[in-house]
Amino acid sequence: MLALQGDVREHFHALTACGAEPVSVRREAELAAVDGLVLPGGESTAISKLLEVFGLLEPLRQRLRDGMPAFGSCAGMILLARDVLDTRPDAQSLSGIDMTVRRNAFGRQVDSFETDLEFTGLDGAVRAVFIRAPWVERIGEGVEVLARVPSGPAEGRIVAVRQGGVLATSFHPEVTGDLRVHRLFVDSVRERAAVRPS
């Protein structure tokens, strides 16, 4: 669990409820010791700067290149993107998923909303909470679209994707009590750990 800024506690609870053993990651040695990483919602430019301050930016990019599973929600999705629109010029990205995202695409805090989404691989609708959320403008080859906004002004916008073991949502599944998205991530971490050479 990247624990530099954002809604860390909510993800901790969700991961624990899924049977995982989350730990806080703030140092390179802690990053090296984990099998997967959650990048929480929060403020993407602040987290980006803190990744540099704590010496985690390049080590995290390398872990992602090496195939470490990751899950980013909201700001975490922004950080995992290859390209980010409407952000500060000094903001860093991790290039964990070949996609372009638009930061704060749904508007300001007062424009936050909830809706039900069909989510590929999950039975039944997922309740999605959007808070100053991004959306995906472009996906590269090998990126799977998992969910789109079903209706309204943003109808059809991509809000959940996966590339290999890296999953990203523009919404916050950690605040709803529905553990299915976290279980997808935990299962991918376990699958990779099971086949990794010892």
Side-chain angles (χ1 to χ4, degrees), residues 25 79 81 83 112 120 122 193:
V25 171
L79 290 163
D83 301 298
S112 300
T120 299
L122 299 181

Side-chain angles (χ1 to χ4, degrees), residues 121-136:
L122 299 181
D123 292 330
V126 170
R127 189 68 177 169
V129 177
F130 294 88
I131 305 169
R132 292 178 57 216
W135 65 44
V136 178

Side-chain angles (χ1 to χ4, degrees), residues 108-128:
R108 299 162 53 109
Q109 193 86 13
V110 295
D111 300 310
S112 300
F113 70 101
E114 298 182 25
T115 191
D116 291 326
L117 304 173
E118 295 303 315
F119 196 105
T120 299
L122 299 181
D123 292 330
V126 170
R127 189 68 177 169

Side-chain angles (χ1 to χ4, degrees), residues 1-178:
M1 182 79 236
L2 185 66
L4 300 178
Q5 192 265 347
D7 56 345
V8 173
R9 182 179 59 192
E10 293 85 350
H11 278 291
F12 250 91
H13 290 313
L15 291 169
T16 301
C18 290
E21 298 175 11
V23 296
S24 295
V25 171
R26 295 186 187 94
R27 301 279 186 260
E28 185 176 352
E30 294 165 343
L31 175 63
V34 297
D35 294 318
L37 188 69
V38 171
L39 293 84
E43 212 294 308
S44 60
T45 54
I47 298 172
S48 163
K49 186 166 283 299
L50 289 168
L51 283 169
E52 292 185 271
V53 168
F54 282 80
L56 285 171
L57 187 62
E58 286 306 324
L60 181 47
R61 283 177 175 154
Q62 187 58 54
R63 288 293 314 270
L64 290 168
R65 284 192 294 267
D66 291 343
M68 177 186 69
F71 167 41
S73 66
C74 199
M77 171 185 260
I78 295 167
L79 290 163
L80 286 170
R82 174 164 293 166
D83 301 298
V84 181
L85 305 175
D86 297 334
T87 193
R88 291 171 36 153
D90 61 342
Q92 299 286 341
S93 66
L94 298 168
S95 297
I97 296 178
D98 182 10
M99 64 179 172
T100 301
V101 301
R102 184 171 299 278
R103 188 172 173 267
N104 295 339
F106 288 97
R108 299 162 53 109
Q109 193 86 13
V110 295
D111 300 310
S112 300
F113 70 101
E114 298 182 25
T115 191
D116 291 326
L117 304 173
E118 295 303 315
F119 196 105
T120 299
L122 299 181
D123 292 330
V126 170
R127 189 68 177 169
V129 177
F130 294 88
I131 305 169
R132 292 178 57 216
W135 65 44
V136 178
E137 296 252 333
R138 177 202 63 85
I139 58 168
E141 191 175 338
V143 178
E144 179 185 7
V145 174
L146 300 176
R148 295 177 183 267
V149 176
S151 61
E155 182 176 353
R157 292 293 186 177
I158 300 169
V159 292
V161 294
R162 177 171 50 201
Q163 185 172 21
V166 183
L167 171 69
T169 63
S170 61
F171 55 92
H172 292 267
E174 71 278 7
V175 301
T176 65
D178 185 341

Side-chain angles (χ1 to χ4, degrees), residues 178-189:
D178 185 341
L179 299 175
R180 290 176 293 162
V181 175
H182 285 84
R183 282 197 188 104
L184 273 182
F185 169 66
V186 169
D187 288 348
S188 72
V189 173

